[in-house]
Amino acid sequence: MAFQSIKDFSLELDGPGDAVYRSGEMVTGVVVLELNREIKVRALGVQGRGVATAHWLENRSVGVNTVYNDYTSRITYFRKRQHLIRVTK
């Protein structure tokens, strides 16, 4: 099986490890593929996704009762697939 031949497969971004990226900002880096032995690679791709999620609670008093509101918001900024190696026949 080909996965037994893979020693390391990682994506190393050029920014710091705790970087926060904004909409429209370019993200750059390198893909590291380290193998235990020689294999034929027919295709290699990466997929990235940018998502922001927020959750908060609000409460207010209504007479002697307290009313709680629970809010959640989720936004997908991007979803991108990129072929790095693709053999065409």
Side-chain angles (χ1 to χ4, degrees):
M1 179 177 217
F3 291 119
Q4 295 171 343
S5 302
I6 298 174
K7 187 175 185 179
D8 180 33
F9 180 72
S10 59
L11 178 63
E12 296 178 358
L13 299 178
D14 291 335
D18 60 348
V20 176
Y21 298 97
R22 291 167 179 76
S23 179
E25 188 174 354
M26 185 175 294
V27 178
T28 60
V30 296
V31 174
V32 177
L33 178 60
E34 189 176 349
L35 303 172
N36 292 318
R37 63 182 180 85
E38 186 175 314
I39 62 171
K40 287 186 179 182
V41 178
R42 290 181 288 215
L44 178 63
V46 293
Q47 179 177 340
R49 184 176 63 162
V51 177
T53 303
H55 178 253
W56 67 98
L57 299 171
E58 292 181 353
N59 61 26
R60 59 180 161 64
S61 296
V62 179
V64 295
N65 298 320
T66 302
V67 177
Y68 293 94
N69 291 320
D70 185 359
Y71 299 98
T72 301
S73 179
R74 179 183 169 107
I75 299 171
T76 299
Y77 288 99
F78 71 92
R79 179 174 283 210
K80 176 79 175 165
R81 290 183 182 183
Q82 182 69 45
H83 288 279
L84 303 176
I85 300 172
R86 182 174 19 185
V87 174
T88 57
K89 294 183 180 184

